[in-house]
Amino acid sequence: MTQSGQRWFLTLPSAPSGYGFATISALGGLSYQTKPGGAWISAPSVDTRDVSVPKQGRLAVTIPPEGLIITWNQMMPSLGGTVALGALDVSPGPSGPSVQRVNIASPNLPPPITSPVASLHVQQ
């Protein structure tokens, strides 16, 4: 997470193939960018499977005042779709960003695929 003026931005690391995908949503939509200095794109939500990030780019998302939800998902063909393995609620907050884990109760799931790319760094 980085701050520029009064706005907060979340930069998502790229995940190796096979480690799942993220969905990011916010009430009222959000804006994202795929390369520094590039155009900001408005969308109701972002699915990392549908966003093409250039080799020298990165996926940055504005954090709206009401916050956003990030879910990490895994394709589960045996279950007929995808399964959310975890979720985070990210809010800018008056005294700095707030990140809370959202509990997801999903019985009978296989163990999640873990990856060292899931880390959070706050920068100002």
Side-chain angles (χ1 to χ4, degrees):
M1 296 174 78
T2 57
Q3 184 180 24
S4 178
Q6 296 296 318
R7 299 180 75 187
W8 283 93
F9 302 91
L10 175 71
T11 302
L12 277 75
S14 58
S17 179
Y19 280 92
F21 63 96
T23 57
I24 308 154
S25 59
L27 291 174
L30 48 83
S31 296
Y32 69 94
Q33 182 185 61
T34 58
K35 64 179 182 176
W40 286 93
I41 301 163
S42 295
S45 63
V46 175
D47 184 325
T48 59
R49 295 174 296 175
D50 300 330
V51 176
S52 177
V53 178
K55 188 173 185 174
Q56 300 300 320
R58 84 291 186 265
L59 178 59
V61 178
T62 59
I63 303 174
E66 49 286 330
L68 50 81
I69 298 281
I70 305 166
T71 61
W72 188 254
N73 310 279
Q74 185 67 42
M75 295 297 295
M76 302 297 266
S78 63
L79 297 177
T82 62
V83 172
L85 301 177
L88 296 174
D89 180 359
V90 180
S91 301
S95 59
S98 168
V99 179
Q100 296 181 11
R101 191 181 105 200
V102 177
N103 289 330
I104 298 176
S106 300
N108 305 318
L109 292 179
I113 297 173
T114 58
S115 168
V117 299
S119 63
L120 175 68
H121 300 282
V122 176
Q123 301 174 346
Q124 289 191 352

